[in-house]
Amino acid sequence: MAKQDGRRGAIAAITSLIDSTRSLARTSTVFGDPVTSGATTVVPVARISALNTIGGGTGRVPLSGGDGAGGMGLVRARPAGFLVVSPEGADFQAIRQPAARLVLPLAAITAVAAVRIVSVSVKESRRRKRLELEQGQHQECSQHSV
């Protein structure tokens, strides 16, 4: 009977974690409620991502009651824009995030630069080894001729 109570406790904790994460994953939690002025209402719009990681286990050690569970919840909210609702209709206004558009081009430039640096370093290393070999052979030839 004790094992069943422990499992219910672990499941209750996990359910509470999921419910807490779900309650946070709302636009109004991060950006506030819609604002009304006269006949016009502005509604914030967000991109929301939620992640729950959960684990649990049971031990087989006698008299230890080795049942347990744990987890973590993560919510990410980014502004997407706002919706303007007026008697003339509804209009969505996007919020542009120029930094996000720079990520891929900057990553490509960084990759090209890294490849170039590595290739130049490899060529220089090979050149130095070749020179060392040539100098070693030259020294051996001069020692034999003496």
Side-chain angles (χ1 to χ4, degrees):
M1 186 76 175
K3 280 188 177 185
Q4 292 297 328
D5 291 341
R7 287 184 187 161
R8 278 193 224 125
I11 291 174
I14 291 169
T15 304
S16 172
L17 171 69
I18 292 170
D19 290 341
S20 296
T21 305
R22 184 182 300 134
S23 70
L24 292 173
R26 298 176 193 215
T27 303
S28 61
T29 303
V30 180
F31 300 107
D33 293 321
V35 176
T36 303
S37 176
T40 303
T41 302
V42 178
V43 182
V45 178
R47 289 184 182 102
I48 308 251
S49 304
L51 171 71
N52 284 309
T53 57
I54 300 167
T58 302
R60 297 191 185 263
V61 178
L63 303 172
S64 70
D67 291 333
M72 179 182 79
L74 172 72
V75 176
R76 178 181 179 193
R78 294 179 293 158
F82 52 93
L83 192 62
V84 179
V85 182
S86 65
E88 293 82 35
D91 185 34
F92 177 75
Q93 299 292 320
I95 295 175
R96 309 240 186 274
Q97 296 182 359
R101 292 184 181 184
L102 293 175
V103 170
L104 288 177
L106 289 176
I109 290 168
T110 303
V112 168
V115 167
R116 179 70 179 143
I117 290 168
V118 169
S119 67
V120 167
S121 297
V122 168
K123 285 180 185 177
E124 181 62 20
S125 174
R126 288 179 182 166
R127 186 186 71 78
R128 286 182 184 165
K129 284 182 182 179
R130 189 176 66 243
L131 286 174
E132 287 174 5
L133 285 174
E134 288 173 2
Q135 287 175 352
Q137 290 173 354
H138 181 63
Q139 287 177 355
E140 283 180 15
C141 288
S142 29
Q143 287 177 356
H144 287 300
S145 59
V146 174

